Amino acid sequence: MQEALLAAAVQWPDQGVPARARGWLITVAARRLTDQWRSDQARQRREATVAAQAPPDETFAPGPGDEERPPDHDDTLTLLVLCCHPALSPASQVALTLRAVGGLTTAQIARAFLVPEATMAQRISRAKHRIKQAGIPFRLPPEPERAERLRVVLQVLYLIFNEGYTTTSGPNLHRAELTGEAIRLTRAVQRLLPDDGEVAGLLALMLLTDARRPARTRADGALVPLAEQDRDLWIKPSIDEGVGLLTRALAETPLGPYQLQAAIAAVHAEARRAQDTDWPQILALYELLERIAPNPMVTLNHAVAAAMVHGPQAGLDLLRLLDDDARLASHHRLEAVRAHLLELAGDDQAARASYQLAARRTTSLPEQRYLQARAARLVARSH
């Protein structure tokens, strides 16, 4: 395994990978031996008992002309692709995936997304009707379309995980039922497509991120930022599994955005203390990620990494690129990051204003309380 990783690290310059980023591969290879290739048979048996099959529904039944399937055929991927059909809105894709593939009840999904059950029932019903009306067959799409459809499936699973990990509104910071379902469904896809590097990368990203969950809140539900978390509370088996998945994907498959995000999460996981974090390596990975999959959230995180390496002003300069981006200009995370960097720069008055603005913009109560507390602390410090 070490030889394979070393070979991958040597080949990376052809893909524009900075030397700092390649260093992580070699470090991981030196630390993890082949005994991490643990059998997952027990897990597969557990998951089989809660198989992700929808209740009988004519909408998802095989139609005339669909090819016959052997009795042991796993329709999970087919059903996921159907639920994530581009004819449906993103909200409908998520709802239908959780209902038909995840097996959650309509009431559970409605509670997770803080909407009335009747509203969610209508959303799911309309999605089913749209599929039936369009005559979409219950089969995998033709080979030329599969890569794009798989991309949508992974995006939907990623959205489900993110909504569970940091709930966009309401009293709770996270919803374990959503992160758990996202991980379980991504495991199912990874078993069906074991050679797909981005599927493995997404699963690794989820595991490495979810490993922090026990340390993210205090007993009263208050948010604990990454730099202040008790890392002894992080879930080590999830970290080990995520790093193992990522190591194999980086060594054997083409590089992709989910693998890069997982690599960033792995660098954080490798640091025993916040001050031990290899920020130059994280910065190199974000620079690469921004080149191959640019989006405003990547730029936002890139700004944080730049500030940690080159000082807060470097991060603030990057944030200015987002001020005119309609996708993020009014998002609370932009102001929250700006507030943090302004605080690091010693501009307490501007930082306090940005914290307060971010608190007004978020609909998550734990995030709102955290941002208000940061602003109040700056007020107290100025007196």
Side-chain angles (χ1 to χ4, degrees):
M1 182 173 69
Q2 296 182 38
E3 292 179 359
L5 284 170
L6 194 56
V10 170
Q11 292 170 2
W12 268 27
D14 293 336
Q15 301 182 45
V17 179
R20 295 289 311 185
R22 297 199 305 275
W24 183 80
L25 285 175
I26 299 169
T27 300
V28 170
R31 295 181 185 177
R32 284 162 178 85
L33 304 176
T34 54
D35 62 358
Q36 287 190 342
W37 294 69
R38 301 186 300 271
S39 169
D40 64 354
Q41 291 303 307
R43 184 181 67 242
Q44 292 186 23
R45 284 194 296 270
R46 286 196 305 273
E47 292 177 351
T49 64
V50 287
Q53 299 300 322
D57 188 313
E58 64 174 7
T59 301
F60 301 119
D66 284 355
E67 55 268 72
E68 292 295 323
R69 295 172 178 76
D72 61 348
H73 183 85
D74 190 337
D75 280 330
T76 301
L77 183 57
T78 305
L79 194 52
L80 269 168
V81 169
L82 184 67
C83 291
C84 299
H85 194 277
L88 304 178
S89 69
S92 295
Q93 291 172 345
V94 169
L96 198 56
T97 296
L98 289 172
R99 180 71 186 99
V101 192
L104 273 66
T105 66
T106 303
Q108 287 174 319
I109 302 169
R111 284 197 300 271
F113 288 91
L114 301 177
V115 299
E117 184 176 351
T119 300
M120 186 57 69
Q122 286 182 335
R123 184 177 298 172
I124 293 171
S125 178
R126 283 196 299 267
K128 290 180 178 180
H129 180 71
R130 183 69 181 270
I131 287 175
K132 187 174 181 180
Q133 189 179 45
I136 302 167
F138 187 81
R139 61 163 73 101
L140 287 174
E143 190 65 39
E145 299 177 21
R146 290 185 189 179
E148 177 60 21
R149 295 286 289 279
L150 178 62
R151 185 192 66 78
V152 177
V153 167
L154 297 186
Q155 185 177 34
V156 167
L157 296 176
Y158 184 58
L159 289 172
I160 293 170
F161 179 85
N162 283 346
E163 178 61 29
Y165 190 70
T166 303
T167 306
T168 51
S169 60
N172 300 311
L173 182 64
H174 56 250
R175 292 181 177 271
E177 71 274 19
L178 286 183
T179 54
E181 271 306 299
I183 290 171
R184 188 177 71 81
L185 294 175
T186 307
R187 281 195 195 282
V189 177
Q190 201 269 334
R191 285 200 302 272
L192 295 167
L193 301 172
D195 299 324
D196 191 292
E198 279 295 82
V199 175
L202 178 58
L203 180 55
L205 173 61
M206 290 179 178
L207 291 168
L208 289 162
T209 305
D210 192 60
R212 306 173 197 160
R213 179 165 37 88
R216 292 182 71 223
T217 54
R218 297 190 174 89
D220 61 358
L223 183 154
V224 181
L226 180 62
E228 299 173 18
Q229 289 176 13
D230 180 355
R231 299 183 179 216
D232 289 336
L233 297 178
W234 288 2
I235 306 170
K236 191 174 186 302
S238 293
I239 292 173
D240 290 343
E241 184 184 1
V243 168
L245 280 164
L246 176 62
T247 300
R248 294 191 291 276
L250 290 173
E252 299 169 4
T253 66
L255 186 64
Y258 289 121
Q259 292 174 58
L260 280 172
Q261 291 179 72
I264 292 165
V267 175
H268 281 295
E270 291 282 301
R272 289 294 304 153
R273 303 173 302 165
Q275 57 265 43
D276 298 331
T277 304
D278 189 344
W279 282 106
Q281 194 167 165
I282 290 174
L283 177 59
L285 289 165
Y286 271 123
E287 287 171 348
L288 177 59
L289 182 59
E290 197 157 35
R291 288 206 296 272
I292 70 171
N295 72 62
M297 280 298 182
V298 172
T299 303
L300 193 65
N301 289 312
H302 180 191
V304 174
M308 298 304 291
V309 176
H310 300 302
Q313 191 57 50
L316 289 167
D317 289 343
L318 281 174
L319 290 187
R320 291 193 186 94
L321 302 176
L322 298 173
D323 287 338
D324 296 324
D325 191 319
R327 295 170 295 177
L328 201 66
S330 60
H331 199 289
H332 77 279
R333 294 201 191 284
L334 176 58
E335 286 306 315
V337 170
R338 196 192 316 274
H340 176 61
L341 298 187
L342 287 167
E343 183 178 357
L344 290 177
D347 190 344
D348 288 1
Q349 184 175 355
R352 182 172 69 248
S354 285
Y355 277 130
Q356 291 169 337
L357 179 55
R360 290 195 297 271
R361 285 179 174 174
T362 184
T363 51
S364 164
L365 293 181
E367 288 188 313
Q368 190 177 87
R369 287 193 289 265
Y370 170 77
L371 293 164
Q372 289 169 340
R374 299 290 292 196
R377 189 183 71 168
L378 292 178
V379 171
R381 195 164 72 183
S382 65
H383 288 84

